[in-house]
Amino acid sequence: MQRRLVGLTAAIAALGMTATLSGCGTDSGSGDVTLKLVAADYGTDAASSSEKYWSDLAGKFEKANPGIKVDVAVHSWKDVDRDVAAMVKAGEAPDIAQIGAYADYAKAGKLYTADETLAIRTESNFLPSLSDAGKVDGSLYGLPFVASTRLLFYNKGLFSDAGIDAPQTWADIQSDAAALKAREVTYPFALPLGPEESQAETLMWMLSGGGGYTDDIGNYDIDSVANVQTFRWLKNNLVGKGLTGPVAPGKLDREKAFEAFAKGEVGMLNGHPTLMQEAEKKGIDVGMVPLPGRDGPTKGSMGVADWMMGFKQNGHREEIGKFLDFAYTDQNVMAFADQYDLLPVTGSASLAMESDGKHEALHDFLAALPNSTLYPFGKTSWARASESIKEKIGGAVEPNGNPESVLAEISGLARQAESAE
């Protein structure tokens, strides 16, 4: 709170004025303030919609902060980034958005930094790897909201029927998938490289092959030797041998793959904590192991974070800060993580989850988070690079596809987008 009042105190002194500090910040004047909050829906139906969480949170905040109202709008996860972009373009930016990308808005000067909004105790509580991923030019703009890591999921019942063990290497994946195919499993290995979220599946495989989206100094390296070798292996040893099911990987979306796993139609796929919950509800005996690599289990994992941000347009800096400080208390962080089997983004909440036996199923995911690799969120070019991946990566494993040329094309588009920043 002290940081949010420094500018006000200096301004008062400079103008020789006196003022009474109220619940409203210097940017918003006096009287009641309504914050507009747009958030993504993590639910799969009306009963699990995120609307309830945000409405409950807003109600508790309003009760604790008279004079500040919160107008909540929850949008489909598929649409929310596009919807917020349209609002910003129309000059109707929300005060707070919980979405998937922040860098473009930060570069355009449309966001408050964490230093301008958060109490020190709140900002310092973020897990360092996530906090670092939320920075642009050294300042924290994207506040991590929830996180997840990825493991390889397998159907224990199907594996038992086929007499096979959980895979540790790519060769194990191939042999296990062949055994599952022989038993007429619909998707021996589900490989969702369709347009929904193929940038995630792509990164998981790149990491397991010793590559990634960027090199050691943060430059795009999408067409590296390691990445090309990884997609050649996928094309020749999984897709080419008919081990990925009846839908071409480039046409298979993650959501459809997850639905098929929950129905017992998938032997293996890369998944996140929410899938564990959904599959077990449907009676699937779920096994999980670290992502298999070329020669053994992958040491690191892919991590994903979604972001909160405060927009400057309406001048509600102080009120935004109060709401964010409230939202990031352990109780509220854990409530959302619990609802969707996701991982908390703060150190104190992570310790609480780690020490709580009821979250034992998430401990492997939690352990993988500190050393996980995230998307290059801080690049404003990442949004365009990600769209190129979603549009084109499936072609790398098609029967007539050329992994080297597809990755080179994607890499060229990413570098072109970065040079235009």
Side-chain angles (χ1 to χ4, degrees), residues 44-57:
T44 56
D45 52 32
S48 62
S49 172
S50 303
E51 177 77 39
K52 183 178 186 299
Y53 171 83
W54 288 110
S55 295
D56 288 348
L57 184 68

Side-chain angles (χ1 to χ4, degrees), residues 102 111-112 130-131 133-135 139-144 307-309:
Y102 64 85
L111 301 181
Y112 290 117
L130 300 180
S131 183
K135 293 179 179 178
S139 294
L140 180 61
Y141 291 93
L143 312 179
W307 309 95
M308 292 267 274
M309 60 209 71

Side-chain angles (χ1 to χ4, degrees), residues 304-347:
V304 174
D306 299 324
W307 309 95
M308 292 267 274
M309 60 209 71
F311 282 87
K312 292 180 176 180
Q313 180 180 310
N314 301 317
H316 295 152
R317 177 177 58 85
E318 185 76 12
E319 293 81 5
I320 290 170
K322 286 185 176 182
F323 181 83
L324 293 174
D325 283 338
F326 183 82
Y328 281 109
T329 60
D330 283 358
Q331 179 181 359
N332 292 324
V333 169
M334 288 296 293
F336 195 92
D338 276 346
Q339 184 173 350
Y340 296 106
D341 273 344
L342 293 169
L343 306 179
V345 296
T346 63

